[in-house]
Amino acid sequence: MNGTNAVLFVSFGGPDKREDVRPFLESVTRGRGIPPERIEEVARHYEAIGGASPINAITNRQAEGLREQLNGTPVYVGNRNWHPFLEVTLREMAAAGIKQAVGFPTAAYRCEASWERYLQAVEAARKKVGPSAPAVTYVGPWFDHPLFIDAIVARIREAHAPANASWIFTAHSIPTPMAEASRYVQELEATAGLVCARFGVQTWTLAYTSRSGAPADPWLGPDVRDEIRAQARQGVNDMLAVPIGFVADHVEVLFDLDVEAQEAAREAGVAFRRARTVGDHPLFIRMIADVVKNPVPSPARGEGRRP
């Protein structure tokens, strides 16, 4: 972190209470042509998990843990879609005299919908702040970082799945053309393979959640519910979901896995459990500290695209 005097923790953000849900969803979907019925559907997902999201609290715990690891280096949190918005955070940093920061977007796997949108959001916010906005460099890839793998392994052990359980790694689905233009799937597969190697697990699957968009448009599959049903038909009786695509237990985990996938498993007559996301596990916090100490030379928009 030579020459750097702060860390910018870049997260998605989420609603803290019921009254925030629809304004938050409007922020997420603004300008993207999402039909109102889809927004209402997602609002009901939040209702099903209690009317709010724990993502902001988890992000704040991650940031606080990082501050402790960095011995007092300032760590600021800025969100793409909810308070504190990136522009507000960057103005606060500028007022504090921060000239240069390392950005840590909370996206382990890089594609246009994740990593690149975080970088675009930071740059858009910097332009609004103006010349006083701190310069931001970014961490390198960490999908295969040993401490990230360690944290996932620890979460799997906490789940106490039976030895014969079928492992299903899960992540957010994205449009197939977007996936083909990036290394998103390859990075997910690399993480899953490294985790399984720690346990000697030879067979595993990768499935997806949170699909949106027009039904006719191709997105990554299989959907985790379809995978559960398919494995049940093959005689599998016990399944473990490992949500490596997310770093916090938010709506895409708490609803898509704990409600929808659990219901699919119940209907199929199979046992289903999931590991927690890495969240604020100390091993993951140590990983963040390690990667922010060694940022890449430039943000390199498009980094992670397939050659």
Side-chain angles (χ1 to χ4, degrees), residues 181-215:
S182 71
R183 295 191 56 80
Y184 184 74
V185 175
Q186 290 83 352
E187 291 177 358
L188 285 163
E189 290 174 341
T191 299
L194 289 167
V195 170
C196 287
R198 299 286 187 90
F199 292 91
V201 171
Q202 301 295 320
T203 304
W204 51 271
T205 56
L206 178 61
Y208 297 92
T209 64
S210 316
R211 187 201 191 284
S212 59

Side-chain angles (χ1 to χ4, degrees), residues 51-273:
S53 171
I55 187 172
N56 295 335
I58 295 170
T59 299
N60 288 334
R61 292 199 301 271
Q62 291 169 332
E64 183 56 38
L66 182 59
R67 289 186 192 99
E68 295 174 2
Q69 286 285 321
L70 297 179
N71 299 316
T73 296
V75 178
Y76 293 82
V77 174
N79 293 325
R80 272 172 52 189
N81 297 296
W82 201 241
H83 307 284
F85 286 102
L86 280 162
E87 180 184 349
V88 172
T89 298
L90 286 168
R91 290 189 186 281
E92 180 184 352
M93 295 170 73
I98 304 297
K99 301 298 183 184
Q100 188 172 346
V102 176
F104 179 80
T106 53
Y109 309 98
R110 302 190 177 195
C111 68
E112 189 275 329
S114 59
W115 178 263
E116 291 187 33
R117 286 186 190 169
Y118 278 122
L119 269 59
Q120 291 164 7
V122 172
E123 292 310 304
R126 289 185 68 251
K127 287 181 180 179
K128 290 180 180 178
V129 173
S132 64
V136 182
T137 54
Y138 296 89
V139 300
W142 45 273
F143 65 91
D144 57 353
H145 193 289
L147 288 170
F148 182 48
I149 304 304
D150 287 345
I152 297 170
V153 167
R155 292 305 197 199
I156 290 173
R157 288 186 172 132
E158 292 172 359
H160 300 294
N164 66 338
S166 173
W167 288 19
I168 306 173
F169 292 89
T170 67
H172 202 302
S173 184
I174 61 173
T176 302
M178 186 186 297
E180 292 173 345
S182 71
R183 295 191 56 80
Y184 184 74
V185 175
Q186 290 83 352
E187 291 177 358
L188 285 163
E189 290 174 341
T191 299
L194 289 167
V195 170
C196 287
R198 299 286 187 90
F199 292 91
V201 171
Q202 301 295 320
T203 304
W204 51 271
T205 56
L206 178 61
Y208 297 92
T209 64
S210 316
R211 187 201 191 284
S212 59
D217 294 341
W219 281 55
L220 290 177
D223 182 277
V224 66
R225 293 166 294 178
D226 293 334
E227 181 64 23
I228 289 168
R229 297 178 188 115
Q231 292 198 24
R233 288 193 295 269
Q234 295 167 4
V236 175
N237 295 315
D238 211 310
M239 303 177 198
L240 170 69
V242 186
I244 57 173
F246 306 99
V247 299
D249 284 6
H250 47 59
V251 68
E252 283 89 351
V253 176
L254 299 175
F255 182 81
D256 293 5
L257 293 181
D258 293 358
V259 177
E260 286 192 326
Q262 188 66 254
E263 181 180 357
R266 187 164 50 249
E267 291 174 351
V270 298
F272 177 84
R273 71 192 73 202

